[in-house]
């Protein structure tokens, strides 16, 4: 049985993009996922155990949770009764001339995120109760955040990656496995607490063509429990949000671009196929050409995990048809060659990114200034 989100969140596109230096962070224990009742927590525990039995042992680790942000354009007219969505006709808005963005972050964990980001009776109930009690459908959802990097090359290409182990028929429908962890110490699966010896970084599984993807890790900035969500740690968390973008470029493209290089927030997107899970889309402009980037990729460890393709920035304006092939390119023997791929083999987040750039005609990645 398929489900749809019981509420709608408006994506925000920022134009011009907001530089990372203007992204502020606010921390509070009140921004953490709230518990509605022991009954629903038991259901989450049961779903988590079922997941571990199906996919093998997994660790529950802390994740940053987006409680809210300072961007205008959010809709408060939710109509969750009987599964009705927001009555607004638009699912995204253009935010122009924004000087600063504040992200209000709390904590969730892998256990909660793995369960509540799925469209199910359980997650729909939690959203409905959040709306009925507090007018906040996300209050009882994990709302963990990921970051995605649109890395525009000097010659106007945007690189995409896909895991080498992916089934090539493009039929896989699976969220990028950013929550998978490997640990050298014990974890508390209910609280999400973790010791500083725990390595939270594991290769993300990208079944479909996607932008380089990652996520900020609480443990790297000493955020282990809700007690650490205090003002003195905001600078470290703000830095980690930015670092996670550049870390994704290193892990998936093999480049070692320092985090001091200019980067900017292009969009805050809510993934409707994963219960409005928040995604931060960043843009970076490179001095490398697509051929130079491909050379670096081939010499890096990333080539052992991923394959690389490109799409021209002007092709992002081509109307997206799910039944047609998309105009991708690959670098073969230091020459760019056309390599069209089935639209079904492209990840949902990247498709949403394309639709956002097409919907707002003023958005042109090659002309972005930040």
């Amino acid at each position: 049985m398929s489900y749809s989100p019981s509420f709608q969140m408006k994506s925000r596109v920022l134009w011009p993009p907001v530089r990372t230096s203007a992204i502020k962070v606010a921390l509070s224990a009140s921004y953490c996922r709230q518990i509605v009742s022991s009954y629903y927590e038991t259901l989450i525990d049961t779903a988590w155990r079922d997941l571990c039995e199906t996919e093998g042992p997994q660790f529950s680790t802390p994740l940053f949770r987006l409680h809210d942000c300072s961007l205008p354009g959010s809709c408060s007219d939710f109509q969750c009764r009987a599964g009705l969505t927001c009555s607004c006709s638009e699912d995204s808005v253009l935010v122009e001339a924004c000087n600063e963005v504040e992200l209000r972050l709390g904590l969730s964990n892998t256990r909660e995120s793995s369960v509540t980001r799925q469209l199910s009776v359980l997650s729909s109930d939690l959203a409905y109760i959040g709306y009925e009690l507090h007018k906040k459908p996300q209050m009882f959802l994990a709302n963990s955040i990921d970051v995605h990097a649109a890395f525009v090359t000097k010659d106007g290409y945007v690189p995409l990656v896909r895991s080498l182990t992916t089934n090539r028929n493009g039929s896989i429908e699976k969220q990028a496995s950013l929550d998978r962890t490997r640990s050298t110490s014990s974890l508390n699966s209910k609280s999400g607490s973790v010791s500083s010896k725990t390595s939270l970084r594991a290769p993300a599984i990208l079944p479909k063509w996607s932008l380089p993807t990652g996520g900020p890790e609480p443990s790297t900035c000493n955020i282990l429990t809700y007690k650490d969500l205090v003002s003195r740690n905001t600078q470290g968390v703000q830095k980690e949000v930015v670092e996670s973008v550049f870390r994704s470029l290193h892990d998936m493209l093999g480049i070692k671009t320092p985090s001091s290089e200019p980067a900017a927030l292009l969009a805050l997107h809510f993934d409707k196929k994963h219960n409005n899970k928040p995604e931060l889309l960043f843009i970076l402009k490179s001095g490398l050409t697509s051929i130079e980037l491909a050379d670096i990729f081939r010499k890096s460890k990333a080539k052992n995990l991923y394959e690389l393709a490109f799409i021209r920035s002007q092709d992002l304006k081509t109307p997206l048809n799910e039944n047609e092939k998309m105009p991708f390119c690959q670098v073969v023997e230091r020459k760019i060659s056309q390599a069209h791929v089935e639209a079904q083999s492209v990840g949902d987040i990247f498709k949403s990114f394309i639709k956002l750039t097409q919907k707002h005609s003023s958005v042109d990645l090659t002309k972005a200034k930040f």
Side-chain angles (χ1 to χ4, degrees):
M1 181 181 295
S2 62
Y3 297 90
S4 59
S6 57
F7 63 97
Q8 176 172 294
M9 299 293 292
K10 281 182 175 291
S11 296
R12 263 62 68 83
V13 178
L14 286 67
W15 197 257
V18 177
R19 290 195 65 156
T20 52
S21 58
I23 298 176
K24 309 302 178 184
V25 167
L27 304 175
S28 172
S30 65
Y31 297 160
C32 296
R33 174 186 168 267
Q34 302 299 303
I35 296 175
V36 59
S37 71
S38 59
Y39 169 75
Y40 284 103
E41 292 307 298
T42 300
L43 292 180
I44 290 175
D45 282 338
T46 300
W48 171 250
R49 285 196 299 270
D50 291 344
L51 180 65
C52 291
E53 290 177 1
T54 302
E55 300 190 8
Q58 300 180 62
F59 299 115
S60 182
T61 56
L63 300 173
F64 280 118
R65 174 185 189 274
L66 182 65
H67 172 76
D68 201 355
C69 72
S70 61
L71 290 174
S74 61
C75 178
S76 58
D77 187 21
F78 297 111
Q79 297 182 358
C80 294
R81 292 187 182 277
L84 297 177
T85 58
C86 174
S87 59
C88 294
S89 59
E90 301 295 331
D91 61 358
S92 69
V93 293
L94 184 67
V95 179
E96 299 181 281
C98 181
N99 296 321
E100 184 177 284
V101 177
E102 181 183 75
L103 303 177
R104 293 151 195 165
L105 303 182
L107 283 180
S108 181
N109 57 53
T110 310
R111 176 183 64 95
E112 298 170 347
S113 179
S114 297
V115 175
T116 68
R117 73 184 178 197
Q118 304 303 325
L119 297 177
S120 65
V121 172
L122 172 57
S123 62
S124 294
D125 281 353
L126 291 173
Y128 173 81
I129 295 170
Y131 170 77
E132 285 295 296
L133 297 181
H134 305 282
K135 304 301 181 189
K136 294 180 179 179
Q138 320 96 298
M139 175 163 284
F140 303 120
L141 303 178
N143 248 33
S144 58
I145 59 173
D146 291 331
V147 300
H148 308 266
F151 190 68
V152 185
T153 65
K154 188 177 181 179
D155 50 348
Y157 287 81
V158 178
L160 303 167
V161 292
R162 178 172 67 172
S163 295
L164 285 172
T165 55
T166 299
N167 187 341
R168 294 293 178 250
N169 63 15
S171 62
I172 296 178
E173 282 289 346
K174 184 179 180 182
Q175 173 78 355
S177 298
L178 302 176
D179 299 340
R180 301 301 174 84
T181 58
R182 294 171 182 170
S183 174
T184 58
S185 62
S186 62
L187 293 168
N188 183 321
S189 63
K190 291 187 177 181
S191 67
S193 61
V194 57
S195 81
S196 59
K197 294 182 180 179
T198 302
S199 172
L200 301 185
R201 297 181 60 188
I205 301 172
L206 300 177
K208 298 186 177 185
W209 290 110
S210 307
L211 295 168
T213 301
E217 300 172 5
S219 66
T220 62
C221 41
N222 297 317
I223 305 294
L224 305 180
T225 71
Y226 70 92
K227 295 180 181 179
D228 299 315
L229 297 171
V230 292
S231 57
R232 68 172 179 272
N233 290 328
T234 55
Q235 187 173 356
V237 174
Q238 180 180 343
K239 181 179 178 181
E240 169 57 15
V241 171
V242 178
E243 290 282 354
S244 67
V245 179
F246 289 88
R247 195 161 57 231
S248 70
L249 297 177
H250 176 265
D251 292 346
M252 298 183 180
L253 299 181
I255 60 177
K256 298 180 179 180
T257 304
S259 58
S260 58
E261 288 294 302
L265 180 63
L266 176 62
L268 167 61
H269 173 64
F270 294 96
D271 182 7
K272 292 172 180 55
K273 289 194 175 182
H274 290 93
N275 215 13
N276 292 297
K277 184 179 180 298
E279 312 284 346
L280 300 177
L281 302 177
F282 288 84
I283 181 173
L284 305 91
K285 301 186 77 170
S286 173
L288 298 170
T289 65
S290 54
I291 293 176
E292 292 168 340
L293 177 55
D295 287 341
I296 293 173
F297 176 82
R298 281 194 296 269
K299 297 175 184 177
S300 71
K301 294 180 180 179
K303 74 177 188 323
N304 299 324
L305 298 172
Y306 305 101
E307 56 182 322
L308 176 67
F310 296 89
I311 186 170
R312 296 183 305 173
S313 56
Q314 59 261 43
D315 288 334
L316 294 175
K317 294 294 185 180
T318 302
L320 181 61
N321 189 324
E322 293 287 348
N323 298 319
E324 296 179 357
K325 292 187 176 182
M326 295 184 63
F328 277 30
C329 303
Q330 288 185 315
V331 176
V332 179
E333 296 182 352
R334 305 200 85 248
K335 293 183 179 180
I336 298 176
S337 62
Q338 292 292 320
H340 286 74
V341 301
E342 299 289 341
Q344 293 182 348
S345 69
V346 179
D348 293 327
I349 300 299
F350 182 60
K351 288 179 182 177
S352 298
F353 170 69
I354 294 175
K355 291 176 181 178
L356 288 175
T357 59
Q358 291 177 353
K359 184 172 183 177
H360 304 286
S361 58
S362 60
V363 176
D364 185 339
L365 300 189
T366 59
K367 297 180 180 180
K369 295 181 179 180
F370 48 88

